[in-house]
Amino acid sequence: MLFTNNLGYPRIGAQRELKKASEAFWSGKISRKELLEAGLKIRSANWKIQKEAGIDMIPSNDFSFYDQVLDTTLMVGAIPARYHELAANKSAAYELDLYFAMARGFQHDGIDVTAMEMTKWFDTNYHYLVPEFTKRQQFSLFSEKIVNEYYEAKQLGIETKPVLIGPISYLLLGKEKEAGFNRLDLIEALVPVYEEVIGKLKEYGVKWIQFDEPFLALDLDDRARGLYNQVYKRLVKSAGDTKLLVATYFEGLNDNLSAALSLPINALHIDLVRAPEQLDAILEDIPDGLILSLGLVDGRNIWKNDYERSLTYIDKAVQKIGKERVWIAPSCSLLHVPCDLDYEDNEQTLSVHIKDWLAFAKQKLGEIKDLALLGDKRDEGTEVYGRYLENQASQARRRTSELIHHQEVKARVDAIVDKDTNRHSTFKERKAKQLEALKLPLFPTTTIGSFPQTKEVRSWRAKFKKGELTAASYEDLIREETKEAIKWQEQVGLDVLVHGEFERNDMVEYFGEQLQGYAFTKNGWVQSYGSRCVKPPVLFGDVSRPKDMTVYWTSYAQSLTNLPVKGMLTGPVTILQWSFVRDDQPRQQTAFQIALAIRDEVLALEKAGIKIIQIDEPAIREGLPLRKAAQRDYLNWAVKAFKLAAAGVEDDTQIHTHMCYSEFNDIISDIAAMDADVITIETSRSQMELLDAFADFNYPNDIGPGVYDIHSPRIPSKEEMVSLMEKASAVINPKQLWVNPDCGLKTRAWPETKAALEAMVEAAKTLRLVAEAV
Ligand code: GLN
Ligand code: ZN
C-alpha cells in the first residue's frame, strides 16, 4: 500500500463559516467563545473529511484565524514593538485580540496601531502578514496553537501531522525593519524556539511534523542554501523519534537538489504539477531511506487529475525506491482550491459537461486515495479500476469538447501585429494633449474604482440572482447608489471620479460572466486574506466578448457630472491570474484572447465619450514565475497583453493602471514598458518604500502612490498623508504625482471611507498650497 499525505486543507469552511464568524466577532455580534467554537467546528469537520477519505497523514495547525505566517510570528513571539502596549493592556490581554490587531490594525481605547504589512504568498492570490525583524530581534515561544491543535485532534481520535513554516522560509518571508543586518542572521536566535516547539510536540507523542520550506524550491544564494543542512540537523536531533517531513512546492528543486537530498530528514515533498521534470533527477540521487511525497494532485487549480499521467510518475518512483517510500499527495496545501464540488448544482452557470472536468479539495482527497490504490495495484474489475477507466473517459471528453475550441478566436490571436500593441505617440506628446483635454490640478485626487459594497448592495444582488428582485428594480437601486457616489465625490472635491463598481460582484467574475469561455461556481470560494474570500471563475475555453460589458454603467455615471469619470476594467493578466485557468494551452495564449476582448471594451468606452480608462493589473507581479529563469518570457507576454488591451485609444484618452502588493524593484522596467499614462500603486503600509523603485528608475509616466491603507478600518489623518506625499515628492517630480488610496474601497464601510477621503482631499489641497508657495 502507498501512503497518502495531505499538506493542508481549506480552512474557511465549506460555507465560508470562518468568514462569517470572524466578521461577526469583529463587529461585536458574537463573543470570543463563539468564534473559537466556530474554529473548532471547522477543524473537526476537516479532519473528519480527510479521515473518511482515507488520508493517512492528516495535517493539523493548517487552520488559522487569519494567516499561517502570522500564526508562526505569534508562535515564535516576534511581536513588533508597536503592539507591546496592546499586549500588556488588560482589556486586550487575550492572544486573539493581539493577533487581530497585528492583522488588521487597532484603533480603540486610546491605542492607535497600524496593521502589519501584507503581501502575496509566492505566486498565489493568498496574502500573508509579513514578519518584521529588527537587528536585535528576540524570539521566544509565545503561542502554543500548534500543540493545542494537535491535542484537540487527538482528543477527537484523529492522529495528525502538525504543519508549520520552517525556520528558514519563515525568516525569508519577513523583512528587515532596520539597516545593518540580514534576516538570516537571526537563525541562531530562532532555531531554539523551533527546538522547543518540537520538544513539546514530542511530549504529546507526535509522530510526524511537516516543515513547509517553499524557499527550498526557489532561487537561493549559497548562504541560504547552506543553512538548510545545518538547521535541519539540529531540528532532527531535537525531534528524536518524531519524524520530520520537509515540504517544497510551487517550483522544482533544481539547483537546490543536492541541498534538499542531503537533509537528514525522513521525508521530502516535491511538487510534480509545477515541476514534473524534477522527478528523474531526484530519483537518480535520492539517499537510502528517504521517503518521497509526490505532489501529483494540483493544489492550485480545479481540473480533475489525469490518473494515467500521474501513474507514470508513481510507477517510476515505486520502481526505483519501492512502495514503502512513495507517498501520494497534492502538489501543495489545498488552501488554494475551493472546498467541495458537490455543492455545485447550478447547471446554468456550471454545466454538467464542465463539472465533469473538475475536482475541488474534497474530490482531490479522493483522487489522492485512488492514485495510492492504483499505484499499489491495477486489477481490472476492482472499484478503483472502474474509477480509473471513468477518469480516462472524462479526460477524453474534455480534449475533444466543442465547448472549448473556437477557430475565430484562435485566428484573431494569430493575426496580432506589433502596431496593435503600441500607442500612437510618446507619453510626452500624449500628456500634453491629456492636460489640455482634462484640465486637472497639480496632485490630482482619485480613487481606485470601487466604493463600499454595503450589505444592502450585496443583498440587492443576491435577491436579483434569486429572482426576488426584477432586473429593472435591481438596476434602479444600483443607479441610485451610483448617483449618490457621484454626488458625494463631487461634494468632497475629488478630481477624477469613479462610478463605484456597485454592479460588480468581483472585478474578475464580473467580466468573466460577460465573456464567452467562462463558467462559474456557486460556492467555489478560496481565501484571499483574513476573512476575505474570492470565487475565481473557471476559464475553460477560448475567450471572446459578445457585447459591451461596462459601457452602460460608466456612461450613466458620466452623464451625472462634468468631472471626468474613469472607466474601470480588469486587465488581461489579472483576469488570467485570478481565474482557474485552463491547463490545456499555454497561459499566454489565453492572455492574448482576453486582451483582445478588453481592447474592444476600451474602444467602446472611448467611443462612448469616456476620457480616462483604468485597466487594473493588480496581479501582474504575482504572476511572475518564481524562478528567475522563467521570468523574462512571462514579462514579455504579460506586458504585451496589457498593451494589446490598452493601445488602441487616441492620444488624449488617458490610460490608468493599478497594482497592489507589489515589490516593483525587479520588474520596474517592464512596468514602464506597459506605458500606462498613470499608474496607481500600493505604498502606504510600507511608508512609500515601494516608491523607491520608481524613483531609482526615473519612471517616466505619472504615478499615484497610495497614501492610505484600505485593508484596515483605521482612518488616516490629513497630516500623515501629507507627510507620505512629501516623502514621495522628494524622490519624484510632483508634476508626475497623483493622490489616491492604496486600493479599491469595496471592503470598507462608508463612514470610514468618507472620513478618509475627505482628509485625503484636504491633504492634496495642502500639497498644492505648499507647491505653489515654492
Ligand atoms: N478597481 C478595483 C477596485 O477598486 C481594483 C481592485 C484591486 O486592485 N484589487 O476594487
Ligand atoms: Zn489594488
Side-chain angles (χ1 to χ4, degrees):
M1 237 322 267
L2 281 77
F3 248 57
T4 50
N5 174 33
N6 187 23
L7 267 54
Y9 200 74
R11 56 207 177 203
I12 54 176
Q15 297 294 332
R16 283 184 298 154
E17 291 87 345
L18 184 62
K19 174 195 182 65
K20 290 165 195 163
S22 314
E23 290 175 0
F25 174 69
W26 296 334
S27 64
K29 288 195 196 89
I30 65 168
S31 65
R32 182 190 334 268
K33 186 160 164 274
E34 286 168 298
L35 175 63
L36 293 175
E37 276 164 11
L40 171 60
K41 227 166 153 185
I42 294 170
R43 290 192 292 276
S44 25
N46 286 354
W47 286 324
K48 223 174 112 213
I49 287 170
Q50 296 178 77
K51 179 111 199 161
E52 279 165 9
I55 300 298
D56 300 305
M57 306 285 280
I58 297 174
S60 59
N61 199 41
D62 54 339
F63 176 83
S64 175
F65 275 112
Y66 207 96
D67 164 41
Q68 72 273 8
V69 182
L70 182 60
D71 293 345
T72 315
T73 293
L74 240 68
M75 179 182 87
V76 301
I79 298 159
R82 65 183 179 284
Y83 306 106
H84 288 176
E85 186 188 352
L86 192 66
N89 182 316
K90 192 164 165 286
S91 69
Y94 296 95
E95 196 174 302
L96 201 60
D97 291 359
L98 171 66
Y99 181 78
F100 285 137
M102 291 164 76
R104 310 176 66 235
F106 186 90
Q107 202 171 33
H108 212 49
D109 305 334
I111 301 177
D112 183 359
V113 284
T114 54
M116 292 178 80
E117 191 183 331
M118 214 168 10
T119 199
K120 290 196 161 159
W121 177 249
F122 301 93
D123 59 349
T124 74
N125 186 27
Y126 174 81
H127 305 67
Y128 74 92
L129 289 143
V130 182
E132 298 175 11
F133 301 128
T134 56
K135 199 169 171 185
R136 272 173 221 35
Q137 184 70 50
Q138 306 276 313
F139 299 99
S140 63
L141 183 57
F142 183 86
S143 164
E144 298 197 12
K145 170 179 178 287
I146 186 168
V147 183
N148 299 342
E149 280 183 22
Y150 173 79
Y151 183 69
E152 190 180 87
K154 189 122 190 166
Q155 279 188 314
L156 295 168
I158 296 175
E159 178 63 35
T160 60
K161 165 196 62 169
V163 175
L164 74 175
I165 296 169
I168 298 172
S169 288
Y170 175 69
L171 288 178
L172 291 174
L173 285 164
K175 244 189 184 176
E176 295 89 355
K177 282 287 158 181
E178 54 191 21
F181 79 108
N182 179 300
R183 54 199 188 281
L184 285 181
D185 301 344
L186 304 174
I187 195 75
E188 278 305 317
L190 181 62
V191 166
V193 183
Y194 274 82
E195 288 171 332
E196 197 180 341
V197 170
I198 292 172
K200 297 235 171 201
L201 291 172
K202 202 164 68 177
E203 272 171 39
Y204 279 92
V206 168
K207 300 188 173 58
W208 279 91
I209 307 174
Q210 171 183 323
F211 288 85
D212 282 10
E213 287 284 6
F215 279 97
L216 194 49
L218 301 193
D219 297 328
L220 291 175
D221 58 21
D222 290 343
R223 178 183 183 202
R225 195 182 298 119
L227 268 186
Y228 271 97
N229 195 282
Q230 292 171 36
V231 167
Y232 278 88
K233 234 184 224 149
R234 287 172 63 181
L235 299 186
V236 165
K237 196 162 166 222
S238 59
D241 290 340
T242 301
K243 294 180 172 152
L244 302 195
L245 158 70
V246 164
T248 67
Y249 39 80
F250 300 154
E251 264 301 342
L253 293 170
N254 306 10
D255 48 342
N256 303 328
L257 180 77
S258 55
L261 292 181
S262 77
L263 297 181
I265 51 174
N266 308 89
L268 176 69
H269 173 85
I270 54 171
D271 185 340
L272 291 179
V273 173
R274 275 292 173 83
E277 67 290 341
Q278 63 178 328
L279 182 63
D280 287 336
I282 292 170
L283 290 176
E284 199 57 44
D285 284 339
I286 192 166
D288 287 345
L290 183 66
I291 291 167
L292 203 54
S293 166
L294 309 182
L296 288 163
V297 171
D298 197 346
R300 298 283 301 270
N301 213 333
I302 40 118
W303 306 106
K304 207 177 244 182
N305 189 263
D306 180 345
Y307 283 6
E308 202 171 347
R309 185 162 188 270
S310 296
L311 284 166
T312 60
Y313 297 116
I314 296 172
D315 291 347
K316 210 186 252 181
V318 166
Q319 217 164 47
K320 183 85 196 215
I321 58 178
K323 283 178 192 171
E324 317 68 48
R325 285 172 60 198
V326 175
W327 291 356
I328 309 302
S331 60
C332 58
S333 163
L334 296 172
L335 176 68
H336 311 288
V337 293
C339 288
D340 190 353
L341 188 64
D342 294 343
Y343 286 102
E344 301 302 328
D345 54 6
N346 185 348
E347 287 196 26
Q348 302 298 313
T349 54
L350 188 75
S351 73
V352 281
H353 305 289
I354 297 169
K355 192 175 165 185
D356 169 47
W357 306 331
L358 308 182
F360 291 179
K362 190 172 158 203
Q363 289 68 37
K364 285 174 189 283
L365 296 175
E367 295 183 336
I368 291 165
K369 185 71 195 175
D370 279 355
L371 289 173
L373 292 169
L374 292 163
D376 187 36
K377 44 180 173 297
R378 250 155 280 172
D379 293 342
E380 284 176 41
T382 57
E383 260 178 56
V384 71
Y385 196 79
R387 290 199 292 278
Y388 169 61
L389 294 179
E390 174 43 35
N391 180 275
Q392 280 179 303
S394 170
Q395 302 295 333
R397 287 193 290 271
R398 182 171 165 215
R399 268 193 296 275
T400 54
S401 171
E402 282 176 11
L403 293 172
I404 295 177
H405 304 285
H406 298 282
Q407 233 18 74
E408 341 64 82
V409 178
K410 297 185 205 291
R412 212 180 149 198
V413 169
D414 290 340
I416 297 168
V417 290
D418 276 356
K419 97 173 171 4
D420 299 335
T421 57
N422 289 310
R423 295 286 294 266
H424 311 311
S425 312
T426 63
F427 171 69
K428 224 171 141 195
E429 292 163 309
R430 297 188 322 252
K431 181 155 178 177
K433 292 187 192 170
Q434 290 164 16
L435 277 174
E436 187 62 34
L438 295 165
K439 304 203 169 47
L440 295 169
L442 198 58
F443 295 110
T445 53
T446 191
T447 60
I448 307 304
S450 58
F451 275 126
Q453 285 263 334
T454 56
K455 247 209 215 97
E456 291 74 49
V457 174
R458 276 178 285 134
S459 78
W460 302 335
R461 188 160 38 250
K463 281 188 188 150
F464 168 52
K465 285 204 167 153
K466 275 190 229 144
E468 291 165 21
L469 208 61
T470 64
S473 4
Y474 170 68
E475 286 176 10
D476 274 344
L477 290 164
I478 299 290
R479 262 191 296 272
E480 256 332 286
E481 195 76 6
T482 309
K483 195 191 245 168
E484 287 279 304
I486 293 285
K487 265 206 319 237
W488 182 81
Q489 292 173 83
E490 279 189 328
Q491 254 165 36
V492 75
L494 283 152
D495 301 306
V496 172
L497 314 194
V498 296
H499 75 287
E501 303 182 25
F502 303 112
E503 78 288 8
R504 302 183 189 178
N505 35 5
D506 170 90
M507 65 185 288
V508 170
E509 188 170 64
Y510 183 74
F511 290 93
E513 275 175 351
Q514 304 187 72
L515 291 168
Q516 211 97 80
Y518 264 104
F520 300 89
T521 64
K522 210 168 88 179
N523 202 46
W525 297 100
V526 289
Q527 188 178 17
S528 173
Y529 67 88
S531 68
R532 176 133 175 80
C533 303
V534 291
K535 190 154 66 68
V538 179
L539 201 172
F540 67 87
D542 289 335
V543 175
S544 59
R545 167 187 172 275
K547 55 181 194 305
D548 289 353
M549 300 187 281
T550 64
V551 177
Y552 174 77
W553 288 109
T554 317
S555 308
Y556 169 70
Q558 184 64 82
S559 75
L560 304 169
T561 175
N562 292 323
L563 294 170
V565 173
K566 257 196 294 194
M568 200 54 63
L569 303 174
T570 304
V573 183
T574 299
I575 292 186
L576 180 85
Q577 189 68 21
W578 290 352
S579 300
F580 285 121
V581 16
R582 54 196 289 193
D583 57 358
D584 61 346
Q585 74 179 14
R587 288 169 77 79
Q588 71 184 78
Q589 205 67 16
T590 310
F592 293 150
Q593 292 183 359
I594 307 167
L596 286 169
I598 299 297
R599 178 185 181 91
D600 293 347
E601 186 68 14
V602 168
L603 294 173
L605 283 169
E606 185 182 50
K607 201 163 157 217
I610 302 303
K611 302 299 296 171
I612 306 183
I613 300 165
Q614 177 171 316
I615 305 172
D616 288 323
E617 283 291 18
I620 208 155
R621 175 63 174 77
E622 82 180 35
L624 192 68
L626 296 166
R627 289 279 200 170
K628 270 236 151 41
Q631 292 178 353
R632 192 64 263 150
D633 179 52
Y634 161 81
L635 287 165
N636 289 347
W637 66 252
V639 170
K640 182 169 165 190
F642 177 84
K643 290 174 81 180
L644 185 60
V649 295
E650 297 302 325
D651 288 351
D652 60 357
T653 298
Q654 190 171 67
I655 297 287
H656 288 219
T657 189
H658 164 71
M659 295 177 192
C660 32
Y661 295 128
S662 294
E663 299 284 350
F664 296 105
N665 292 300
D666 45 351
I667 60 163
I668 187 73
S669 62
D670 294 281
I671 292 179
M674 289 165 68
D675 198 23
D677 298 304
V678 182
I679 181 171
T680 55
I681 55 170
E682 180 269 333
T683 38
S684 75
R685 271 198 191 191
S686 71
Q687 298 296 310
M688 297 276 155
E689 249 173 52
L690 289 175
L691 206 59
D692 290 347
F694 287 80
D696 295 345
F697 182 76
N698 256 323
Y699 184 81
N701 301 10
D702 288 0
I703 316 172
V707 290
Y708 79 88
D709 172 24
I710 61 87
H711 297 91
S712 146
R714 183 176 171 276
I715 297 162
S717 70
K718 169 188 143 185
E719 289 70 27
E720 68 188 73
M721 291 187 275
V722 169
S723 107
L724 283 178
M725 284 305 292
E726 277 168 348
K727 249 177 152 170
S729 306
V731 292
I732 290 186
N733 181 347
K735 289 203 175 65
Q736 287 176 270
L737 290 174
W738 286 60
V739 181
N740 47 261
D742 266 348
C743 193
L745 296 159
K746 65 190 286 188
T747 55
R748 295 272 60 86
W750 271 113
E752 75 227 26
T753 299
K754 288 187 171 174
L757 290 177
E758 273 160 14
M760 189 187 88
V761 169
E762 288 309 312
K765 286 185 188 156
T766 304
L767 290 162
R768 285 171 205 153
L769 284 179
V770 174
E772 272 161 29
V774 173

